[in-house]
Amino acid sequence: MMNIPVYDLQHGVICEEESWYRENIKDGMDIKGLPSGFLCWDAASAGTLKKWASPKGCKIYAVGNPWVKRFVEKNNDDVLVKEAINDFVFDNCGRLNILISLQWGLKDHGYSCSKNQFMPDCLEELIKKYQNCFNWLIRLHPVQTCGKEKILVNKYLQDKFGASNNVEWVQATKTPLPILLNITDAHITFWSSVTVEAAWYGIQTALLDPEIAYSGKRANMFAYERSIKVAHVLPLEVSKIENWLFNAVGKKVRDNAIDFRDFDKFINFYL
């Protein structure tokens, strides 16, 4: 009201299929309801906004991710980052680390692939099947870190994976993502924006949302990451995710001079 510029700092996926942007494109929000501009992580996100926001007078800038940048540049005067890095202690026990980024509200979005409402059933099965082969680092969505969601998701994880020493979610959730990505070998999610950040670190992501397939409602989500082959849409089948995981971490295994002929032999190495 006082003509002070207001800029929206990107905090998730920006694409035409995401509901807020879709509604603005379709219905056309009045300029008074829009920010002065948008500060985006990358050129791909900025390009999506320029299609409709620039004609409405919004300024679009690709400024990078300031949070990730702090951990990459490691300024000696940045006490928060220094403390976070020093406080992080993790022993992988010789296993590869698989990051799982959870979503919230799978059931609310009408998905029948999840009886537990927190992750697809096939992913739960995969973790149980190979819980002794990898370190499974499960990262809760911010909505799941407070209130009723926190109670429900922690009960679910404790019931399903509490007996496994190789499935962890407390430290994986509270640790700053850039630190976690530094030790991640592969990433699996339904549709989390961590896909974008993982790509910056050269980490392969498996996307399990069937609506991101080319004929789906969210066909353009992570279009850039998929085009450069760091993100892949997979069927909700354990065998398909197994094969992808084998390929995603295969180079790391070869670099360690581990001889393997097939996925079963690769898995047996870690048993």
Side-chain angles (χ1 to χ4, degrees):
M1 293 174 64
M2 298 175 63
N3 293 320
I4 299 173
V6 176
Y7 280 78
D8 177 86
L9 176 62
Q10 182 174 349
H11 61 281
V13 180
I14 290 180
C15 68
E16 295 178 8
E17 284 77 10
E18 203 281 328
S19 60
W20 191 88
Y21 303 104
R22 183 178 66 246
E23 290 166 4
N24 277 286
I25 295 170
K26 180 179 178 181
D27 302 327
M29 179 182 283
D30 186 272
I31 188 65
K32 293 180 180 179
L34 294 172
S36 308
F38 295 86
L39 306 178
C40 302
W41 292 345
D42 49 44
S45 301
T48 298
L49 289 177
K50 286 179 180 179
K51 295 178 182 179
W52 64 271
S54 292
K56 294 187 177 185
C58 298
K59 297 180 180 180
I60 314 296
Y61 299 102
V63 299
N65 186 313
W67 179 238
V68 172
K69 190 176 181 181
R70 288 173 66 176
F71 287 87
V72 172
E73 294 183 346
K74 297 185 179 67
N75 188 324
N76 287 330
D77 295 327
D78 195 333
V79 178
L80 184 151
V81 170
K82 289 177 65 176
E83 288 183 350
I85 293 174
N86 292 335
D87 290 344
F88 181 70
V89 179
F90 180 77
D91 183 3
N92 65 7
C93 298
R95 291 182 289 270
L96 297 178
N97 304 320
I98 312 302
L99 176 63
I100 307 292
S101 296
L102 295 185
Q103 318 299 148
W104 69 280
L106 288 183
K107 186 176 292 185
D108 295 338
H109 285 86
Y111 287 101
S112 59
C113 61
S114 174
K115 297 185 182 71
N116 57 69
Q117 76 178 303
F118 300 111
M119 67 172 65
D121 298 333
C122 61
L123 181 53
E124 178 185 305
E125 182 180 343
L126 181 77
I127 296 174
K128 288 182 176 179
K129 185 175 181 180
Y130 298 119
Q131 59 185 322
N132 295 323
C133 306
F134 302 99
N135 295 313
W136 298 92
L137 308 177
I138 302 177
R139 188 174 180 86
L140 276 61
H141 185 280
V143 173
Q144 297 172 325
T145 61
C146 58
K148 181 181 178 181
E149 286 287 333
K150 178 179 180 180
I151 297 173
L152 293 174
V153 72
N154 276 280
K155 183 180 186 307
Y156 160 72
L157 293 172
Q158 185 62 43
D159 291 345
K160 295 296 181 181
F161 308 115
S164 174
N165 293 326
N166 305 326
V167 182
E168 202 283 331
W169 59 91
V170 177
Q171 187 177 22
T173 298
K174 72 177 184 179
T175 298
L177 181 60
I179 295 178
L180 207 59
L181 290 174
N182 272 324
I183 66 166
T184 295
D185 296 295
H187 174 232
I188 304 175
T189 187
F190 203 71
W191 66 43
S192 173
S193 62
V194 174
T195 300
V196 177
E197 292 141 309
W200 298 337
Y201 284 75
I203 299 168
Q204 295 282 319
T205 291
L207 295 164
L208 304 183
D209 180 5
E211 295 295 349
I212 304 181
Y214 291 103
S215 59
K217 298 177 182 178
R218 284 179 286 279
N220 289 324
M221 284 189 77
F222 308 113
Y224 175 71
E225 289 74 23
R226 289 154 57 198
S227 72
I228 61 174
K229 309 299 183 183
V230 293
H232 308 267
V233 184
L234 302 182
L236 292 165
E237 301 173 21
V238 174
S239 61
K240 299 295 185 182
I241 306 175
E242 285 177 348
N243 291 335
W244 170 85
L245 188 58
F246 168 76
N247 289 321
V249 302
K251 184 179 185 301
K252 293 179 180 292
V253 176
R254 288 193 293 272
D255 288 345
N256 290 324
I258 298 171
D259 181 30
F260 60 87
R261 303 288 180 186
D262 52 40
F263 189 74
D264 288 338
K265 185 174 181 180
F266 164 65
I267 287 299
N268 287 335
F269 176 86
Y270 289 99
L271 287 173

